[in-house]
């Protein structure tokens, strides 16, 4: 497990439990939002609600609140091939 304090990023072997995820996300500037099983994912709202800038790695993610949020300005997007 890479240390956030030591290296400036955190990599975990398994998903965090909610309290640990909340603490890590609030300390982070950027949070990874990888593609999941479905085009709409709860990962995006989860990281935004913690104050992270989402770094989305997906070619098909369905964006919530598109009428309210300019996602191209509020997030970083990478295609799955990058």
């Amino acid at each position: 497990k890479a240390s956030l304090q030591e290296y400036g990023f955190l990599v975990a072997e398994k998903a965090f439990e909610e309290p640990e995820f909340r603490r890590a996300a609030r300390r982070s500037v950027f949070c990874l939002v990888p593609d999941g099983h479905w085009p709409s994912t709860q990962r995006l709202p989860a990281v935004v609600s913690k104050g992270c800038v989402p770094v989305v790695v997906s070619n098909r993610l369905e964006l919530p609140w598109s009428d309210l949020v300019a996602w191209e300005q509020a997030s970083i997007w990478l295609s799955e091939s990058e």
Side-chain angles (χ1 to χ4, degrees), residues 9-50:
F9 65 91
L10 180 65
V11 176
E13 295 175 5
K14 62 183 179 97
F16 290 137
E17 297 293 328
E18 182 57 31
E20 189 177 6
F21 168 73
R22 191 172 32 247
R23 280 192 301 275
R26 286 189 177 142
R27 292 177 45 206
S28 301
V29 174
F30 301 100
C31 290
L32 190 62
V33 180
D35 192 73
H37 294 293
W38 308 106
S40 64
T41 177
Q42 292 302 311
R43 292 181 185 116
L44 183 61
V47 301
V48 169
S49 71
K50 306 300 184 275

Side-chain angles (χ1 to χ4, degrees), residues 22-80:
R22 191 172 32 247
R23 280 192 301 275
R26 286 189 177 142
R27 292 177 45 206
S28 301
V29 174
F30 301 100
C31 290
L32 190 62
V33 180
D35 192 73
H37 294 293
W38 308 106
S40 64
T41 177
Q42 292 302 311
R43 292 181 185 116
L44 183 61
V47 301
V48 169
S49 71
K50 306 300 184 275
C52 283
V53 174
V55 178
V56 179
V57 182
S58 178
N59 295 335
R60 64 185 184 122
L61 188 69
E62 293 176 2
L63 299 171
W65 321 302
S66 294
D67 55 331
L68 302 173
V69 178
W71 287 110
E72 64 280 353
Q73 296 175 4
S75 57
I76 297 170
W77 285 80
L78 302 171
S79 73
E80 292 175 29

